[in-house]
Amino acid sequence: GTRIIYDRHFLLNMRNSPLSQ
Amino acid sequence: VKCKQGEHQLQYSYCLWFSRRTPGNKASSSNYEQNIKIMGAFASVEQFWTLYSHIARPCDLTSSSDYHLFKHGIKPMWEDEANKKGGKWIVRLRKGLASRLWENLVLAMLGEQFMVGEEICGAVVSVRFAEDIISIWNRTASDNAINIRVRDTLQRVLNLPPNTIMEYKTHTDSLKDRSSF
């Protein structure tokens, strides 16, 4: 099946998302 | 643990465990289970960062501490059903590198960068007196093709120099000599 793949830059950017606080 | 609306779901949900061993005490299954505790669980990118931002970095931990980040349902123990036929790649690091490389490894695992199907079980960072150790655990120690792919991905995501020594140790061997490394 499909896998949910995230690259490092995307994950690092998500750190600053309001939902990540 | 569930992914909430608006969050970015991960392929797997994970548990973060923490352990600290009294230096000098030989590892045994019973005191290992007593000394390990769950720090949190997450199913989305956002939940991961919320947890990660609230815990100490490896470089701020005292010696003989470990973080174990494992897929939900897999205990960070050699004897667990998912681990018992598996093994791990071990990379020894000089002091000062562990926090950055641990973060790189965790992001690669959560983002499914290893491309080995269900093989990855979890990752561990071990803070010790003279060095730190990073390892990644997989299910099937006997599958050479998988192991090579895990090793090459580890080398790439940690950006290790080509001459870095990487050791593979099966959990059967760890159980035999009661030693992780």
Side-chain angles (χ1 to χ4, degrees):
Chain A
T2 49
R3 297 181 84 77
I4 308 170
I5 294 169
Y6 297 115
D7 74 21
R8 177 186 148 72
H9 297 290
F10 176 82
L11 292 172
L12 286 170
N13 285 336
M14 291 300 297
R15 186 172 195 162
N16 301 317
S17 145
L19 290 174
S20 298
Q21 306 307 309
Chain B
V1 55
K2 284 215 169 68
C3 182
K4 298 191 190 75
Q5 200 176 4
E7 294 180 344
H8 293 76
Q9 187 169 7
L10 295 167
Q11 176 70 38
Y12 298 95
S13 52
Y14 291 84
C15 271
L16 179 68
W17 309 64
F18 174 75
S19 64
R20 185 181 297 146
R21 190 161 57 86
T22 317
N25 270 9
K26 190 97 178 133
S28 80
S29 298
S30 59
N31 68 28
Y32 181 73
E33 277 214 90
Q34 283 160 16
N35 287 334
I36 191 163
K37 60 175 186 178
I38 293 184
M39 306 290 287
F42 55 89
S44 71
V45 179
E46 289 84 352
Q47 290 168 14
F48 160 70
W49 283 122
T50 305
L51 174 64
Y52 185 84
S53 306
H54 286 90
I55 58 168
R57 288 153 55 85
C59 62
D60 297 323
L61 298 176
T62 56
S63 275
S64 302
S65 302
D66 305 77
Y67 280 131
H68 318 250
L69 183 60
F70 276 72
K71 286 177 181 169
H72 189 79
I74 303 179
K75 278 190 186 173
M77 303 182 72
W78 307 320
E79 301 89 340
D80 189 279
E81 198 59 36
N83 296 322
K84 66 182 188 186
K85 290 180 182 155
K88 66 185 172 204
W89 282 104
I90 300 166
V91 185
R92 295 168 187 274
L93 308 170
R94 66 169 198 273
K95 282 292 189 181
L97 297 174
S99 294
R100 185 167 51 85
L101 296 193
W102 171 243
E103 185 175 291
N104 288 353
L105 173 57
V106 166
L107 296 183
M109 183 170 73
L110 301 185
E112 287 292 311
Q113 297 292 316
F114 283 89
M115 305 285 187
V116 286
E118 309 289 305
E119 270 290 321
I120 301 295
C121 297
V124 182
V125 60
S126 304
V127 178
R128 297 296 180 262
F129 177 69
E131 63 182 0
D132 299 317
I133 298 158
I134 271 180
S135 51
I136 183 143
W137 294 33
N138 73 301
R139 278 177 189 265
T140 319
S142 59
D143 191 328
N144 204 43
I146 292 281
N147 291 348
I148 296 302
R149 184 177 278 195
V150 173
R151 183 198 66 190
D152 291 349
T153 308
L154 186 61
Q155 187 155 28
R156 178 171 57 81
V157 300
L158 298 188
N159 201 16
L160 299 171
N163 60 348
T164 305
I165 295 168
M166 302 172 79
E167 309 160 60
Y168 192 82
K169 185 169 188 181
T170 68
H171 301 319
T172 313
D173 283 347
S174 296
L175 264 165
K176 269 187 217 150
D177 62 20
R178 306 299 317 170
S179 165
S180 287
F181 309 118

